[in-house]
Amino acid sequence: MVGAARRTTRRSAAVTSTHQDGRVDGTPGEMVDALVVGGGPAGLSAALCLARYNRRVLVFDTGHGRSTHHQVNRNYLGFPDGIPTIELRRIAREQVSRYPQVEFHQHAITHLTGDAENGFTAHAQGRSWRGRTVVLATGVLDHFPHFHGWESYVGRSMFWCIACDGYENRGRDILVVGHTDAAAGEAMQLFSLTDRIRLLTNSERDEISPVLRGRLAKAGIEVIHDQLHGAEGADGMFTAVLTKGGRRLELESLFSIQGATPETRALRSLGVELNAAGYVVVDEEQHTSMPGVYAAGDLSSRHSHQVSVAVHEGSQAASSANYFLYPPELKEG
């Protein structure tokens, strides 16, 4: 049992209305147990666990995020041949949907207000929903190179994560895109899988340090200070990219190391603590700096951004939220 919760909340006088089968009916102004913002692996894991605690849950899912790309996830246990992340998300949502305590809304939450004492409110497009706790699972926005048709390459031959897709690209001709030491470091890590690597800065700036540049040179990794202009390929598979400087670089795979922006717009109004990179600060039980608010998945940078980690953190956030909702007499100490 999670024992880190510090405060409890009073149940609102607006009692949740349900059908005879227990399903939440979405009555405006009702107070549910949890508002889960985000419908990827972290959010769905949190919703599933909360439902199994018999908590009433609203999930807000706009259908975007990393788990809507085309990649196949091959490092999640239980799928020996891998599973497309889109399919994993579909199956998970179907699993969660079997619980009458959970209701899905396809709304982008613009901001959140409230506190643990009086409850929280999620706002979107002139509508609002109330909950006693909040689980934030909005993920990040990746900064992929943009060129005509770039979206079709994501997850097929354009990747962002060596842990997710490096193994399948061993021995291939890889172009790493990025202008910082993070990109240089990724190129050096990929060197353990293939010796056919080049790095394209894709920026007017080249911020690779002398130390990393020396390591790249020693490994025979060419650094090209130019910007990506277009691509050649079909069905999401690269054959070459074209640079603004006029070069044609043949490749089989591209690893984009241009960073990502945490999707924190909706939660900034709560005043939840963020770290210097903009990620939500959480402890080992997914508590944020605000009582009653939890964060899970890529929005938190405590661990590597993996589906397995997101599912774990979603489950832990749900357990923490559930414990928080117990009356004092059911808590330790």
Side-chain angles (χ1 to χ4, degrees):
M1 178 181 292
V2 178
R6 304 292 190 269
R7 298 168 62 188
T8 61
T9 62
R10 300 186 303 269
R11 281 194 179 273
S12 168
V15 178
T16 302
S17 177
T18 60
H19 299 292
Q20 289 185 348
D21 64 359
R23 184 173 297 278
V24 177
D25 71 0
T27 302
E30 68 181 345
M31 181 77 80
V32 298
D33 292 310
L35 305 171
V36 176
V37 186
L44 291 171
S45 175
L48 175 64
C49 293
L50 283 163
R52 292 186 58 79
Y53 284 121
N54 202 32
R55 300 296 186 181
R56 299 184 177 99
V57 185
L58 300 183
V59 180
F60 300 93
D61 179 15
T62 59
H64 300 294
R66 283 175 169 171
S67 60
T68 62
H69 296 322
H70 301 289
Q71 73 265 28
V72 176
N73 189 294
R74 295 184 174 87
N75 57 3
Y76 192 68
L77 284 175
F79 300 95
D81 298 319
I83 181 171
T85 54
I86 294 173
E87 180 66 5
L88 181 63
R89 181 171 176 146
R90 184 195 67 78
I91 293 171
R93 177 158 174 155
E94 178 183 329
Q95 181 179 359
V96 175
S97 297
R98 295 183 181 184
Y99 289 82
Q101 298 90 339
V102 181
E103 181 180 296
F104 285 88
H105 290 277
Q106 192 173 354
H107 289 281
I109 299 303
T110 58
H111 62 289
L112 292 150
T113 56
D115 55 41
E117 194 68 26
N118 302 297
F120 300 92
T121 303
H123 305 266
Q125 302 165 335
R127 296 191 60 185
S128 62
W129 300 264
R130 303 180 67 208
R132 299 170 62 204
T133 62
V134 175
V135 176
L136 303 166
T138 47
V140 301
L141 177 65
D142 288 295
H143 303 161
F144 287 111
H146 285 192
F147 50 87
H148 179 70
W150 67 271
E151 296 97 334
S152 67
Y153 292 88
V154 177
R156 293 189 172 111
S157 61
M158 182 158 65
F159 311 104
W160 60 269
C161 171
I162 186 174
C164 307
D165 301 294
Y167 185 82
E168 281 67 41
N169 285 281
R170 60 196 191 284
R172 291 185 176 177
D173 193 338
I174 293 176
L175 181 68
V176 175
V177 175
H179 67 283
T180 64
D181 278 358
E186 187 87 354
M188 290 301 302
Q189 293 169 33
L190 284 164
F191 192 68
S192 66
L193 300 172
T194 179
D195 60 0
R196 300 159 61 195
I197 302 174
R198 286 173 289 185
L199 187 150
L200 175 68
T201 60
N202 195 36
S203 174
E204 294 180 356
R205 304 192 308 274
D206 180 350
E207 299 177 0
I208 298 173
S209 67
V211 172
L212 266 295
R213 189 174 295 277
R215 292 174 184 171
L216 292 170
K218 186 175 181 180
I221 298 174
E222 180 185 7
V223 177
I224 304 163
H225 187 36
D226 202 342
Q227 291 177 273
L228 200 155
H229 178 66
E232 297 176 4
D235 300 322
M237 303 302 295
F238 285 112
T239 54
V241 297
L242 309 174
T243 73
K244 287 185 177 181
R247 291 192 62 171
R248 181 179 182 274
L249 308 173
E250 294 185 356
L251 75 158
E252 294 172 278
S253 301
L254 185 154
F255 276 75
S256 174
I257 313 300
Q258 299 186 147
T261 300
E263 295 277 25
T264 59
R265 181 184 64 165
L267 61 92
R268 287 182 181 271
S269 53
L270 286 177
V272 171
E273 182 183 358
L274 307 178
N275 66 17
Y279 290 89
V280 178
V281 175
V282 296
D283 66 10
E284 67 278 2
E285 294 181 338
Q286 309 308 128
H287 298 86
T288 71
S289 60
M290 174 168 281
V293 180
Y294 310 87
D298 294 347
L299 188 65
S300 154
S301 62
R302 278 181 56 81
H303 305 290
S304 62
H305 291 179
Q306 301 282 302
V307 170
S308 56
V309 172
V311 171
H312 160 71
E313 290 189 356
S315 176
Q316 179 61 68
S319 293
S320 296
N322 177 68
Y323 188 83
F324 179 85
L325 291 167
Y326 283 141
E329 60 269 21
L330 295 183
K331 296 186 178 183
E332 298 173 355

